[in-house]
């Protein structure tokens, strides 16, 4: 009894101390970080790489390359771009948007189905394209095995895609408002997928959508598949700076998306991507216009949102993609400098997770990269990270063993 009161008091004190962390303010440029010269990296040419994912094995990865799905053989360092599977142009056509009539805007997000048989590709359009992995690997002409058309009411500017463990539902972040909407807000659209066990004729339908904040982009599912998390950039102006992290109930998303929101917390200025630790306990969010990554206690996001923020770490300028490596002890962020601030560098920050959670100095330095690094993916064995360097038309491979 006595002991438990002492424990409670200690916990209470600890919680109050932990609350000293606050959401980072908007910040145009990040202070210069130490350049890491000892990390082994190497480049592969590829035009405008966006979303990246490995297959189920360590020797294969896929990358969204404008009008094709690039197939990378990752058994060598750097990897070799072995095939480019053409994505039919009608699926990439955003001609419905008046301001950009008849423009083919490229493929954006990609995700591997849980059974490893398909890659789903989004574009700045209404479509979700389904590619057969076995056929893509051999560069077969018939590798595109289906496409699902979304609803224009949900939007036509998809960026990321996530898929449920049973491969029956996909969630798509529509960053810009629908051309049919007066709102400034984007949405999370839900697709039901049909025939994902088949080798041809995969199809599906748009179930509906949930209107989120301004600029929803990053998404991740909890390891148990029960929750979806999504970022929203927020208006991004100094007067109304707050981007958010929202939690959704996956079961509700499948049937009644507009009712699936469980909670929203402030994440900072221009929150853009989110990942989750392997044990599902902590979410990490890049806050692009604050040049920070922030950590949230997953369990508190719904029950006690005001106390969910655990850590905030300064990284390089305009971080976008992020990935956990080495058993979740390091985070790499793609410091994009995407607004090309003068005197700012792009690169890859290395963050020490334990130090970050202790509130100690956690940035271990920055690896150099080309222009506008964007998304990252880690191989199943954890040894290699790939990063798309969108503005330099290359993919940078990083040897995880050589990280500090
Ligand atoms: C880089 O490697 C060299 C040789 O192993 C070592 O002397 C140096 O301290 C390393 N520098 C950093 C920043 O780790
Ligand atoms: C990669 O692209 C650069 C710049 O266009 C070019 O100089 C280089 O030869 C290319 N490398 C390979 C291996 O194709
Ligand atoms: C992307 O594809 C479209 C359509 O083929 C083309 O007009 C555009 O130039 C491509 N972009 C790049 C960077 O190759
Ligand atoms: C990758 O290339 C290696 C050797 O170049 C080859 O043995 C392997 O089968 C290739 N992997 C895939 C998935 O094509
Ligand atoms: C895009 O859609 C418009 C309108 O449907 C059509 O006229 C145009 O040919 C399409 N472009 C491509 C590349 O499919
Ligand atoms: C796809 O969806 C868009 C938006 O709802 C619509 O304009 C277009 O006609 C659809 N295309 C097909 C082939 O169904
Ligand atoms: C639109 O987004 C703003 C800011 O991100 C938010 O405050 C507002 O509640 C959202 N509106 C709707 C209808 O979701
Ligand atoms: C990750 O953690 C597991 C279990 O603690 C351990 O067996 C493994 O060696 C660790 N891997 C790395 C790369 O540290
Ligand atoms: C960039 O750096 C130079 C040299 O230090 C300095 O003179 C200039 O004011 C800087 N520009 C900006 C926009 O910070």
């Amino acid at each position: 009894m006595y002991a438990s009161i002492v424990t409670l008091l200690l916990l209470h004190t600890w919680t109050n101390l932990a609350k000293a962390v606050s959401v980072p303010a908007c910040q145009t440029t990040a202070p210069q970080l130490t350049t890491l010269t000892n990390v082994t990296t190497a480049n592969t040419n590829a035009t405008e790489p966006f979303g990246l994912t490995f297959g189920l094995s360590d020797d294969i990865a896929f990358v969204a390359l404008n009008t094709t799905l690039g197939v990378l053989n990752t058994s060598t360092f750097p990897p070799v771009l072995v095939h480019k599977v053409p994505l039919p142009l009608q699926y990439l056509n955003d001609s419905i948007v008046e301001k950009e009539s008849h423009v083919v805007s490229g493929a954006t997000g990609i995700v591997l189905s849980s059974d490893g048989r398909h890659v789903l590709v989004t574009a700045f359009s209404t479509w979700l394209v389904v590619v057969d992995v076995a056929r893509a690997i051999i560069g077969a002409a018939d590798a595109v095995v289906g496409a699902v058309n979304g609803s224009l009411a949900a939007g036509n500017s998809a960026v990321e895609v996530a898929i449920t463990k049973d491969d029956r539902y996909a969630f798509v972040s529509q960053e810009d408002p629908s051309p049919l909407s007066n709102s400034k807000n984007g949405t999370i659209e839900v697709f039901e997928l049909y025939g994902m066990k088949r080798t041809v004729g995969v199809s599906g339908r748009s179930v509906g959508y949930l209107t989120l904040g301004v600029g929803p982009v990053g998404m991740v599912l909890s390891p148990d598949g029960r929750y979806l998390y999504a970022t929203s950039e927020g208006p991004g102006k100094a007067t109304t700076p707050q981007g958010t992290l929202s939690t959704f109930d996956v079961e509700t998303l499948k049937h009644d998306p507009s009712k699936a929101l469980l909670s929203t917390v402030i994440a900072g200025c221009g929150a853009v991507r989110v990942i989750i630790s392997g044990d599902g306990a902590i979410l990490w969010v890049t806050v692009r216009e604050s040049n920070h990554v922030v950590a949230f206690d997953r369990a508190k996001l719904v029950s006690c949102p005001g106390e969910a923020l655990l850590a905030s770490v300064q990284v390089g300028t305009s971080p976008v993609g992020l990935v956990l490596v080495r058993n979740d002890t390091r985070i790499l962020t793609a410091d994009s400098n995407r607004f090309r601030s003068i005197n700012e560098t792009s690169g890859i920050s290395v963050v020490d997770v334990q130090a970050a959670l202790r509130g100690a100095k956690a940035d271990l330095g920055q690896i150099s990269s080309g222009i506008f690094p964007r998304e990252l993916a880690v191989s199943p064995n954890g040894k290699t990270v790939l990063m798309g360097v969108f503005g330099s038309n290359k993919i940078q491979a990083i040897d995880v063993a050589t990280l500090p």
Side-chain angles (χ1 to χ4, degrees):
M1 174 69 180
Y2 205 68
S4 67
I5 289 172
V6 172
T7 309
L8 272 175
L9 280 173
L10 281 172
L11 265 176
H12 185 73
T13 311
W14 184 83
T15 307
N16 282 340
L17 285 174
K19 269 173 71 177
V21 184
S22 59
V23 165
C26 299
Q27 179 189 51
T28 50
T29 58
Q32 193 64 46
L33 300 164
T34 312
T35 303
L36 296 166
T37 52
N38 287 8
V39 178
T40 304
T41 79
N43 296 314
T44 304
N45 287 347
T47 306
E48 296 193 342
F50 207 122
L52 277 160
T53 183
F54 274 83
L56 289 184
S57 62
D58 298 303
D59 64 348
I60 199 83
F62 303 93
V63 56
L65 299 174
N66 194 25
T67 56
T68 68
L69 178 71
V71 182
L72 294 157
N73 183 320
T74 47
S75 67
T76 53
F77 190 92
V80 178
L81 182 61
V82 285
H83 298 293
K84 292 204 272 182
V85 175
L87 301 170
L89 291 186
Q90 76 259 28
Y91 302 141
L92 312 177
N93 192 344
D94 75 352
S95 64
I96 314 151
V97 182
E98 285 165 34
K99 60 181 163 59
E100 292 176 292
S101 54
H102 309 288
V103 173
V104 170
S105 49
T108 50
I110 72 181
V111 72
L112 183 74
S113 64
S114 306
D115 66 7
R117 290 165 60 148
H118 296 101
V119 169
L120 274 54
V121 186
T122 51
F124 246 69
S125 73
T126 54
W127 293 89
L128 183 60
V129 184
V130 185
V131 180
D132 182 273
V133 162
R135 283 184 233 172
I137 288 176
I138 58 168
D142 59 353
V144 174
V145 293
V148 189
N149 202 7
S151 152
L152 192 55
N156 58 349
S157 61
V159 183
E160 287 211 345
V161 52
I163 190 165
T164 55
K165 267 191 193 153
D166 59 7
D167 292 330
R168 287 185 54 206
Y169 292 86
F171 308 116
V172 168
S173 54
Q174 298 281 357
E175 182 176 10
D176 296 335
S178 160
L180 304 179
S181 154
N182 293 323
S183 147
K184 289 193 161 72
N185 294 24
T187 71
I188 301 297
E189 186 171 14
V190 181
F191 288 83
E192 184 174 6
L193 306 168
Y194 305 140
M196 285 286 281
K197 299 285 175 216
R198 293 205 293 261
T199 51
V200 288
V202 176
S203 65
R205 70 178 179 113
S206 172
V207 175
Y209 63 92
L210 178 145
T211 302
L212 198 58
V214 172
V217 175
M219 285 185 301
V220 72
L221 282 156
S222 59
D224 64 9
R226 288 177 60 195
Y227 303 100
L228 178 76
Y229 301 90
T231 60
S232 158
E233 290 167 29
K237 300 280 186 303
T239 45
T240 47
Q242 306 297 23
T244 56
L245 176 67
S246 297
T247 305
F248 310 96
D249 178 66
V250 166
E251 230 16 73
T252 312
L253 275 176
K254 292 177 183 175
H255 308 291
D256 200 354
S258 68
K259 298 206 168 70
L261 181 66
L262 294 176
S263 88
T264 292
V265 298
I266 301 291
C269 199
V272 280
R273 297 292 189 278
V274 57
I275 55 172
I276 192 163
S277 58
D279 62 5
I282 301 178
L283 290 140
W284 295 88
V285 176
T286 44
V287 188
R288 194 180 59 196
E289 275 80 78
S290 299
N291 312 316
H292 273 69
V293 275
V294 293
F296 289 98
D297 180 339
R298 192 192 68 83
K300 287 189 177 165
L301 283 172
V302 177
S303 65
C304 196
E307 291 180 11
L309 186 67
L310 292 174
S312 177
V313 181
Q314 173 92 57
V315 291
T317 301
S318 307
V320 177
L322 75 171
V323 73
L324 278 153
V325 294
R326 274 204 203 145
N327 269 357
D328 292 359
T329 61
R330 296 285 181 273
I331 290 172
L332 303 182
T333 62
D335 303 335
S336 69
N337 188 26
R338 70 160 301 175
F339 305 111
R340 306 211 179 176
S341 301
I342 314 278
N343 294 348
E344 291 301 304
T345 51
S346 53
I348 308 156
S349 280
V350 184
V351 173
D352 178 335
V353 167
Q354 292 314 320
L357 294 173
R358 279 199 313 271
K361 176 178 154 50
D363 77 89
L364 300 178
Q366 194 189 44
I367 305 160
S368 298
S369 78
I371 300 163
F372 194 178
R374 199 164 206 175
E375 301 280 3
L376 297 145
V378 61
S379 60
N381 65 12
K383 291 184 176 168
T384 308
V385 167
L386 300 180
M387 181 177 74
V389 192
F390 191 83
S392 293
N393 295 322
K394 63 189 188 184
I395 291 162
Q396 186 169 3
I398 298 127
D399 179 357
V400 171
T402 64
L403 291 173

